[in-house]
Amino acid sequence: MKFCAIFLLIPLTLFAKEKGGAERALKIFPKSTVPGGVIAVHYALPAEDEPALYTLQVNGKDVAWDLCPGKKRRLCAFAAVEMDNSPKRMEAVVTKVAGGTPETHSVPVRPKKYPSGRLTVDPSKAVLSDEDKARMDEERARTKAVYEASEKRPLWDVDGFRLPGTAGTTSPFGVQRKFNGKVASTHYGLDLRGNEKTWILSSGAGRVVFADHLFLAGNFVAVDHGMGLFTTYSHLSEFAVKVGDEVKNGQRLGRAGATGRVTGPHLHWGVRINGLYVDPAQFLKIANR
């Protein structure tokens, strides 16, 4: 099987020049984004200053950031663009704690229409029981606590991020799934081909913070990459890791499967940034640019 590995490359145009030739310390990539997208914020740290002297806000919300892996004087962070009620712009504001004029940069958010899919099923299978709903509420509370405890520093390394070892998308991010004519859910990940012999690999270096069975996701693994960034792996047939394991880029997490509420074996792969799922395909392009 051939795997697609994508490695972390820093753009040569990272510090764009303002009029007159002065370099801009604050940079957002890409130059525009879409609902469900992701931006990378980079800042050239002055030689005499420490990272802790600077705070970052994106659209008015505090965002954790730190030195980029392998870079001594460059702060970096990722921020997600909401799918629903998305803003017209993504604005980053860097402020020096000790004072000084905040530095601001923004990029536009372009409209995007995601595809829809229709399914006709037995009504009894399209409606959850009260018992199932209660179980899902309990599971949401468990995973929410995990996501809120992300490391404040980057756990990924200079190898960047990659596809999780499978090839071929069967369902893209953002599809609105309609059951019997009604919108039932939005697909917040990529469905990738795989069978119960297919090894699923960690998309980047990090720490396993969840490895258990969930009602919808089946056997589910979440890897914390630090600073509010997680990758998630659903419907596994078996686990190869446990909570607390430190994993490298490309390390085996388990095998693809059909556990949970699915119709056949595959991998549902998600990327979550500061509480919001983003398009994993776009994330790879931005993170490894």
Side-chain angles (χ1 to χ4, degrees):
M1 179 181 296
K2 294 183 179 180
F3 298 136
C4 177
I6 307 177
F7 300 96
L8 183 64
L9 298 175
I10 301 301
L12 296 177
T13 58
L14 183 63
F15 305 120
K17 288 189 176 182
E18 302 280 14
K19 292 181 179 180
E23 290 188 336
R24 179 193 299 151
L26 176 59
K27 177 71 174 177
I28 297 179
F29 185 84
K31 294 181 180 180
S32 66
T33 185
V34 296
V38 56
I39 63 169
V41 180
H42 290 257
Y43 186 74
L45 190 66
E48 70 278 7
D49 288 345
E50 296 298 321
L53 289 177
Y54 292 85
T55 62
L56 171 65
Q57 285 195 332
V58 177
N59 286 15
K61 296 181 179 179
D62 292 334
V63 174
W65 67 341
D66 205 337
L67 294 175
C68 301
K71 302 295 178 181
K72 294 181 179 180
R73 307 302 303 172
R74 186 177 302 160
L75 294 169
C76 64
F78 296 110
V81 186
E82 292 189 39
M83 280 283 286
D84 301 318
N85 302 314
S86 61
K88 293 183 178 180
R89 299 190 70 84
M90 293 294 287
E91 181 180 73
V93 179
V94 175
T95 304
K96 189 172 182 179
V97 177
T101 303
E103 297 181 54
T104 302
H105 186 42
S106 67
V107 294
V109 179
R110 297 178 286 103
K112 180 174 181 177
K113 185 176 182 180
Y114 286 95
S116 62
R118 297 175 181 272
L119 291 173
T120 300
V121 298
D122 187 311
S124 64
K125 295 183 179 180
V127 179
L128 296 176
S129 67
D130 290 341
E131 182 180 356
D132 290 339
K133 291 178 181 178
R135 177 181 174 183
M136 289 177 61
D137 287 342
E138 184 272 334
E139 291 176 350
R140 286 193 192 98
R142 287 178 61 198
T143 54
K144 181 175 182 290
V146 168
Y147 295 138
E148 289 177 346
S150 179
E151 285 280 350
K152 300 301 182 184
R153 60 185 178 88
L155 299 179
W156 74 90
D157 56 28
V158 293
D159 286 339
F161 296 90
R162 55 169 296 154
L163 287 169
T166 61
T169 300
T170 59
S171 182
F173 176 88
V175 174
Q176 286 194 329
R177 290 171 169 172
K178 296 182 179 181
F179 290 90
N180 301 340
K182 296 182 179 180
V183 176
S185 65
T186 300
H187 191 228
Y188 289 117
L190 286 181
D191 283 350
L192 302 172
R193 289 189 181 91
N195 57 46
E196 294 184 352
K197 293 183 179 180
T198 304
W199 282 109
I200 301 305
L201 313 178
S202 181
S203 296
R207 179 180 300 114
V208 177
V209 290
F210 196 97
D212 203 352
H213 185 89
L214 299 176
F215 176 73
L216 293 178
N219 291 335
F220 176 83
V221 169
V223 176
D224 181 15
H225 302 287
M227 301 196 307
L229 170 62
F230 296 84
T231 52
T232 63
Y233 311 80
S234 301
H235 312 306
L236 304 180
S237 60
E238 64 178 86
F239 296 109
V241 291
K242 63 183 183 303
V243 171
D245 285 352
E246 304 282 346
V247 293
K248 298 178 181 179
N249 184 319
Q251 183 171 329
R252 291 177 175 179
L253 302 177
R255 296 184 191 268
T259 57
R261 210 163 187 238
V262 294
T263 57
H266 70 285
L267 172 70
H268 174 91
W269 176 46
V271 176
R272 184 182 176 101
I273 299 175
N274 297 325
L276 296 172
Y277 282 103
V278 299
D279 184 347
Q282 190 193 60
F283 169 75
L284 286 182
K285 293 178 183 180
I286 304 306
N288 294 307
R289 181 94 180 181

